Amino acid sequence: MTDRNGDSDPYQSLAESVRRLIDVTIRTEAGAAAVAAAKANVDRAVEELSADLMPGSFGVRPIVDEQPPASGNVLIGVRNPVAPPLVIRRGADGAVFTEVTLGAAYEGPPGHVHGGVCALILDHVLGATAHQPGRPAYTGTLTLRYLRGTPLGPVRVEAHVDRIDGLKTFARGHIADSGGITVTAEGVFIFPKAAKERDDDRTR
């Protein structure tokens, strides 16, 4: 992401560096002296960045500084170092998919992605099929079937709308690696009644 002058967004660049820091913090075998020196550098960076903080979380905000409105999101937020981050893409048929590499920060069983992380990703990707412009959707239920462990590394996540019944959108999806599908999911996503009532009022 770049700003109006064509320069890299400093907040996104910072998050990318911290993602690398998280990864190497987990995997480093450096000696105690090097670790202590790195900690001192991190502590200085924390102190410097803490000089001017927004209250609370990033939330969702209008695009006024060239940053996406959900930059703090745990899965797609370009300012959130915890996020992989996912880049959600839509096919012509309305289905969605993303391809992402899940490294050491997402490990559960040795060498494999934590099952809760798989659930989190599937919740978001299935929800993306139900969430349309002007029609927000929130998770009602999410059911997963773990076919086998999901190895750390590159995966592809796909989802599509199965059917819509009133305020409910039913979606299906899965995670797959090079060997095939590892986790499947079915979800029900709810269009808030209050939002529907507002839409109805506008059309009267």
Side-chain angles (χ1 to χ4, degrees), residues 20-196:
R20 294 195 297 272
L21 176 62
I22 291 170
D23 181 73
V24 300
T25 296
I26 295 168
R27 298 190 299 118
T28 186
E29 293 185 330
V35 170
K39 177 186 179 301
N41 288 331
V42 171
D43 289 344
R44 281 193 292 272
V46 170
E47 183 177 358
E48 184 174 355
L49 293 172
S50 297
D52 188 6
L53 295 175
M54 66 181 70
S57 65
F58 189 91
V60 176
R61 59 184 70 185
I63 299 178
V64 295
D65 53 5
E66 303 300 318
Q67 297 180 59
S71 291
N73 184 280
V74 70
L75 283 176
I76 63 172
V78 295
R79 282 187 61 160
N80 190 337
V82 176
L86 302 183
V87 177
I88 303 297
R89 306 186 186 282
R90 293 186 181 274
D93 59 356
V96 302
F97 69 93
T98 186
E99 294 176 335
V100 65
T101 297
L102 300 172
Y106 306 99
E107 187 175 52
H112 291 77
V113 182
H114 193 291
V117 172
C118 292
L120 180 66
I121 290 172
L122 282 164
D123 179 43
H124 187 92
V125 176
L126 266 69
T129 68
H131 188 101
Q132 302 294 331
R135 185 182 170 91
Y138 300 96
T139 308
T141 62
L142 185 68
T143 304
L144 293 95
R145 184 181 180 194
Y146 295 88
L147 305 181
R148 60 184 173 88
T150 302
L152 294 174
V155 297
R156 181 180 173 95
V157 191
E158 300 179 15
H160 65 275
V161 171
D162 186 50
R163 69 185 191 278
I164 297 175
D165 183 3
L167 300 180
K168 297 179 179 180
T169 298
F170 296 78
R172 295 175 181 267
H174 65 259
I175 295 175
D177 67 355
S178 60
I181 294 173
T182 63
V183 189
T184 62
E186 299 179 6
V188 180
F189 298 85
I190 312 298
F191 180 46
K193 187 175 180 180
K196 182 179 185 302

